[in-house]
Amino acid sequence: MKKAFLILFVFTFCNQITFAQKETTIVTLKNDDKAPTINKNIYGHFAEHLGRCIYGGFFVGDTSKIPNTKGVRNDIIAALKELKIPNLRWPGGCFADTYHWKDGIGPQEQRPTIVNKWWGGTTEDNSFGTHDFLNMCELLETEPYLSGNVGSGTVQELADWVQYTNFSGKSPMSDLRKKNGRAEPWKVKFWGIGNEAWGCGGNMTAEYYAGEYRKFATFMSDWENTGGITRIASGSNSGDYNWTEVLMKNIPLNMLGGIGVHHYAVINWNKKGDGVDFTEEQYFKTMQSALKMEELVTKHGAIMDKYDPEKKVAMLVDEWGGWYEVEKGTNPGFLYQQNTMRDAVLAGATLNIFNNHADRVRMANLAQCVNVLQAVILTDKAKMITTPTYHVMKIYAVHQDAKLLPVSFQSPLYTVNGETLPAVSASASKDKNGAIHISLVNVDAKNKNKIEIDVKDLGVKNFTGTIITSAKLQDYNSFDTPNKIVPTAFKGFENKKGKLEITIPPFSVVVLEGK
Ligand code: AHR
C-alpha cells in the first residue's frame, strides 16, 4: 500500500514538472490608439541627504582628486546620462522635512552646519545646496523634483524657495539668487509639499495634512502664472487607501498636480534579511512584497478615479525599491546595501507594472540613486560601479515617452512552500519611430518559461533581444568584478512567421526590439 502511494506520488510530481515545462504563456499585444503614452518620468530617481548618497556619492567637492564638475563626480554624471534619467527628487525623504533651504545658499564659509536627525545623526556642512543640486540637474539634463519642508518649515519658507528658483523678474528672492551667482531662474516644475506626512514628515492625520497642503499650495505661486509648477501631495504609506481618499476628497483638484504613494519591497520590517546572502524563500517574500505594487496602483487608482475620472491628477510612486539589512560593518543609519539579480527582477517587474498603469502613474522614483537602498550606482572612494538595477533601467529606457501597447496573458505560477506568484511579467510599447519594445521578466527562480507572442499585425519584422541574467540569483557586481552582470544579446527566441517563440531563463529580464 505504501509503495503504491509512493509510485503514484512520484508519477504525479514528474507529470507536474513536465506540464510546467511544456506550458506556454500566450501574450497578446494590442495596438490601441487610445492607449496612454508611458511618461518618461516613470523612470525617475531619488537622491536624499542620507548616508553616502549626496556627500561621498554624487558630491565630492571641487577640491577632490576624483574628476568632478563643480564638485559632482564626472563618472556619475556620465553613467546617469546614459540612463537618460528624466527627473531627480531631492533633498529627501524624511530629511526634506528638516531641511531649511536658506542654510544651503551663499558663501560656503557662512553656511551653518546641521545635524541629520533621521540618518545617522551626522553633521553636515550644507556645502551641497540649492544651486549645487539644480546646476547638477542641468548637467544631467534632468528635471529637478524638489521636496518642500512642511513638517518643520513655514509657508513663507516654501513660497520663498519657489520665488528663488523660478522668478525671473525683480523680487527679494530673485535678487538674492542673482547675488549668489545665478541670473536666470531654473524654472523648477515638480514640487513636493512635504514627505510622508503620516510619519517622519509630522505624524499628521490625513485630514490635518489635507488642510496644511491647501495652505502651502496656495502660497506656492509660480510667480509668473505660466501654470508651470506641479504641486505634489505627500501620499499614502503603501496600502493606506484612506489617506488617498481623504486627500482626493479634501483638496480641490485644481490645486493638486499629483499624489504620491510610497512602497518598499521588504520581507519584514523587523527582519529584513541580507542583501546578498538570501534563500529562495526570502527572494519569494521580497517578490511577493514587490508585486503588491500591482494591487496598490490599481486600488489607489480606483479611489482617484471616483474624484477625478478624467485622470488629471497624476499618481507618483515617488519612493519604491527593495529594502534589506545594511551591508555588514556599515553604519545602520546609512542604508547601504548591495544589489543582486533579485533586484534586477524586482526592478523589471515593477517597471512593467508602472508601464501598464501609465494612464495614471506618471512618475516614479527609485530609492535611491547612489549608495542607498536599491541604488543604480555604488561608489567606493574613487571607484564607481553600476548595479544590475542600473542595467534594467538602461534597457527599459526605450519605453520612455513611447505609446503603451496593452498586454494580456495568463501567467503560469511560481510556487514556493505552497504560496504562489505570477511567474511572468510583461509590458510593451511602440516608440515614435515605430519600433516595438517588449519587456519580459521571469520571476521564477528555478524554471524557465516559454512565451509566445503574435507580432504579425505590429508592422515590424526583425527582432533582436537583450537579456540580464546570471548563474546565481545572489550574483552581483562588486568593485572587483564590476561587469559580472551586464546586458548581453538574447538569442532565446525564434520568429516563426510572425509568432515569437521565446524561452526565458529563470530570474532574468529580457527586452525584445522589433523594427
Ligand atoms: O528612502 C529612505 C526613506 O524611506 C525616506 O527618507 C523616507 O521618505 C522613507 O521612509
Side-chain angles (χ1 to χ4, degrees):
M1 183 61 189
K2 247 186 180 171
K3 197 172 169 195
F5 174 77
L6 191 69
I7 291 169
L8 183 70
F9 172 77
V10 170
F11 177 76
T12 315
F13 184 64
C14 292
N15 239 4
Q16 275 176 352
I17 287 181
T18 316
F19 179 67
Q21 282 174 343
K22 271 189 188 160
E23 197 178 359
T24 297
T25 307
I26 312 287
V27 176
T28 311
L29 303 188
K30 220 165 85 198
N31 223 335
D32 179 356
D33 284 345
K34 292 201 199 90
T37 293
I38 298 170
N39 196 313
K40 65 176 180 182
N41 286 320
I42 282 176
Y43 291 81
H45 289 264
F46 173 32
E48 180 166 9
H49 286 231
L50 195 178
R52 293 189 300 113
C53 183
I54 298 292
Y55 297 110
F58 275 101
F59 189 69
V60 287
D62 57 9
T63 54
S64 170
K65 286 201 182 94
I66 299 170
N68 67 82
T69 306
K70 293 192 180 148
V72 179
R73 287 179 74 132
N74 291 345
D75 50 1
I76 292 187
I77 294 169
L80 292 179
K81 277 180 88 166
E82 257 192 71
L83 269 197
K84 301 193 171 81
I85 77 159
N87 68 74
L88 188 59
R89 179 172 181 250
W90 178 83
C94 294
F95 178 80
D97 282 291
T98 63
Y99 184 62
H100 301 283
W101 68 271
K102 285 180 187 161
D103 291 347
I105 56 169
Q108 178 57 51
E109 59 288 357
Q110 286 168 23
R111 295 187 192 180
T113 54
I114 49 165
V115 175
N116 193 330
K117 163 182 162 55
W118 293 111
W119 307 116
T122 49
T123 301
E124 301 190 5
D125 64 1
N126 265 307
S127 50
F128 190 86
T130 298
H131 289 249
D132 310 278
F133 176 70
L134 295 177
N135 292 343
M136 178 175 95
C137 287
E138 286 183 341
L139 288 175
L140 292 168
E141 293 167 21
T142 197
E143 285 279 353
Y145 169 9
L146 294 180
S147 269
N149 180 348
V150 169
S152 70
T154 64
V155 172
Q156 185 64 52
E157 190 180 352
L158 187 46
D160 280 353
W161 207 10
V162 179
Q163 193 186 84
Y164 188 87
T165 58
N166 284 13
F167 188 57
S168 54
K170 187 168 170 48
S171 75
M173 288 302 115
S174 50
D175 284 352
L176 184 58
R177 183 190 70 233
K178 285 174 198 157
K179 194 174 143 217
N180 288 331
R182 171 81 187 199
E184 289 306 311
W186 292 275
K187 300 270 180 196
V188 178
K189 194 166 156 197
F190 299 113
W191 289 87
I193 303 190
N195 169 75
E196 298 195 348
W198 41 265
C200 64
N203 281 306
M204 301 176 204
T205 62
E207 288 77 8
Y208 182 82
Y209 172 67
E212 288 292 282
Y213 179 95
R214 292 169 66 130
K215 192 170 63 181
F216 275 78
T218 301
F219 295 97
M220 283 172 69
S221 154
D222 70 356
W223 298 95
E224 285 177 346
N225 291 324
T226 54
I229 75 168
T230 302
R231 297 164 180 85
I232 298 155
S234 158
S236 85
N237 180 13
S238 200
D240 180 357
Y241 300 112
N242 178 58
W243 187 272
T244 301
E245 181 93 46
V246 171
L247 263 46
M248 290 302 291
K249 201 190 312 185
N250 291 298
I251 301 173
L253 293 190
N254 65 359
M255 293 179 89
L256 190 59
I259 181 166
V261 174
H262 287 184
H263 175 67
Y264 286 96
V266 67
I267 296 172
N268 175 333
W269 282 107
N270 298 320
K271 223 175 167 192
K272 297 188 274 294
D274 195 83
V276 171
D277 186 11
F278 57 90
T279 62
E280 188 185 351
E281 279 79 12
Q282 288 174 310
Y283 163 72
F284 184 89
K285 291 277 174 216
T286 306
M287 288 311 298
Q288 209 170 32
S289 177
L291 295 177
K292 193 163 187 256
M293 190 66 84
E294 174 67 40
E295 179 187 319
L296 294 174
V297 296
T298 304
K299 289 191 178 168
H300 284 293
I303 295 165
M304 294 176 78
D305 285 351
K306 271 203 296 181
Y307 299 91
D308 172 32
E310 289 174 44
K311 298 188 195 289
K312 289 192 173 145
V313 179
M315 188 194 299
L316 296 91
V317 186
D318 46 11
E319 286 186 31
W320 69 274
W323 192 321
Y324 317 114
E325 300 297 350
V326 297
E327 189 168 288
K328 287 185 191 78
T330 64
N331 187 326
F334 284 11
L335 310 186
Y336 178 83
Q337 63 191 39
Q338 248 297 353
N339 197 291
T340 65
M341 274 308 299
R342 165 170 65 177
D343 298 280
V345 172
L346 191 165
T350 306
L351 291 168
N352 281 343
I353 295 170
F354 296 153
N355 285 347
N356 291 331
H357 288 271
D359 58 342
R360 182 66 87 175
V361 179
R362 297 195 207 117
M363 190 190 283
N365 303 79
L366 176 64
Q368 297 192 9
C369 202
V370 180
N371 291 333
V372 171
L373 299 175
Q374 192 173 344
V376 290
I377 288 173
L378 300 176
T379 64
D380 179 12
K381 300 187 187 80
K383 290 185 190 164
M384 184 208 87
I385 57 170
T386 52
T387 65
T389 303
Y390 173 92
H391 295 297
V392 173
M393 289 293 233
K394 190 167 168 194
I395 66 171
Y396 270 53
V398 289
H399 291 302
Q400 291 189 19
D401 284 341
K403 196 164 180 62
L404 180 75
L405 293 173
V407 292
S408 56
F409 61 99
Q410 196 100 54
S411 174
L413 297 176
Y414 167 41
T415 308
V416 171
N417 294 338
E419 290 195 89
T420 57
L421 281 178
V424 172
S425 148
S427 73
S429 67
K430 187 178 199 165
D431 72 14
K432 60 177 188 321
N433 302 316
I436 303 287
H437 295 102
I438 308 168
S439 41
L440 302 166
V441 180
N442 186 2
V443 175
D444 195 318
K446 286 193 291 273
N447 301 301
K448 60 189 175 195
N449 262 294
K450 288 187 176 165
I451 299 169
E452 191 179 290
I453 311 178
D454 193 332
V455 290
K456 269 198 294 295
D457 299 329
L458 296 178
V460 289
K461 280 204 176 79
N462 301 315
F463 276 84
T464 51
T466 308
I467 187 165
I468 297 171
T469 193
S470 195
K472 278 173 42 208
L473 189 54
Q474 291 79 3
D475 283 348
Y476 59 92
N477 290 338
S478 69
F479 291 96
D480 297 327
T481 54
N483 295 319
K484 190 177 180 85
I485 300 167
V486 289
T488 55
F490 176 60
K491 306 279 180 204
F493 71 99
E494 266 187 279
N495 188 349
K496 289 197 177 157
K497 296 188 181 153
K499 269 208 177 127
L500 293 183
E501 290 182 5
I502 308 148
T503 303
I504 172 164
F507 60 89
S508 54
V509 181
V510 164
V511 172
L512 295 170
E513 177 174 77
K515 280 186 170 164

